Amino acid sequence: MPGKPIKRNENIIPLSRDHHLGLLFCWKIRQGLNNKIEFSRIRKYILYFWESHLKQHFAEEESLLFNQIEDTLCEDALYQHKQIRNIITNLTASTLQEEETYSLLASLTDKHIRFEERILFPHLESVLSNEVLSSIGTQLKMIHSELKEDVYSDEFWLKN
């Protein structure tokens, strides 16, 4: 039985929408691996998604949310960002392509998103003032003036 949907503070909903794209990113990597797609095709998608979505998303969370308070949950999220960023940096710098790396990236990213949605965001919503959340929301509305989409042309994750 699926759990109840999480009620998110309206001011950080744009980040939760990004998380939906992030979960699809993980699913697409896993589907590509399951379908035995060439690693080079999956790698190109990962680098596209990093440049088009994930890099900016991490920057927004780090500059708008994680720096509001000092606590272990925010430190955990920053560490998880570092882990994911390091894997993508290694993919960028190397032609070495192993299934374990792609699988690890999908797993860490999925786990990270679920941590933020289930633990970190509810925590921040409870400890940050309405004024701070409202200020974050104003900034996110300017950044997210239009809905983001993942429009990658090589749909390798679909069965042929």
Side-chain angles (χ1 to χ4, degrees), residues 38-82:
E38 298 167 23
F39 293 142
S40 61
R41 289 175 66 193
I42 301 171
R43 179 179 179 270
K44 284 178 187 175
Y45 172 68
I46 291 169
L47 299 179
Y48 151 82
F49 193 84
W50 170 252
E51 289 299 325
S52 300
H53 299 285
L54 205 51
K55 187 191 321 186
Q56 179 183 335
H57 177 80
F58 279 12
E60 290 169 16
E61 288 181 335
E62 291 168 8
S63 67
L64 298 175
L65 274 182
F66 301 166
N67 67 352
Q68 297 296 329
I69 59 170
E70 288 187 34
D71 70 6
T72 56
L73 293 177
C74 288
E75 289 172 13
D76 289 348
L78 285 168
Y79 178 72
Q80 292 168 12
H81 278 193
K82 183 179 178 181

Side-chain angles (χ1 to χ4, degrees), residues 131-160:
E131 293 77 24
V132 169
L133 287 168
S134 180
S135 173
I136 291 167
T138 300
Q139 294 174 70
L140 286 172
K141 281 179 189 158
M142 289 189 303
I143 296 168
H144 293 256
S145 59
E146 50 189 63
L147 234 77
K148 291 182 183 178
E149 291 184 61
D150 182 5
V151 290
Y152 191 69
S153 61
D154 178 8
E155 296 178 329
F156 63 84
W157 52 88
L158 300 177
K159 282 197 173 190
N160 293 336

Side-chain angles (χ1 to χ4, degrees), residues 92-122:
T92 303
S94 170
T95 56
L96 178 65
Q97 299 174 19
E98 297 180 6
E99 183 171 349
E100 294 79 26
T101 303
Y102 297 99
S103 183
L104 178 62
L105 175 61
S107 178
L108 287 176
T109 305
D110 187 288
K111 220 168 126 181
H112 170 70
I113 291 168
R114 294 180 193 286
F115 164 75
E116 285 186 347
E117 286 294 326
R118 294 174 181 164
I119 297 169
L120 182 60
F121 283 10

Side-chain angles (χ1 to χ4, degrees), residues 80-96:
Q80 292 168 12
H81 278 193
K82 183 179 178 181
Q83 287 180 300
I84 294 164
R85 194 178 278 118
N86 285 343
I87 292 173
I88 293 172
T89 299
N90 289 338
L91 281 174
T92 303
S94 170
T95 56
L96 178 65

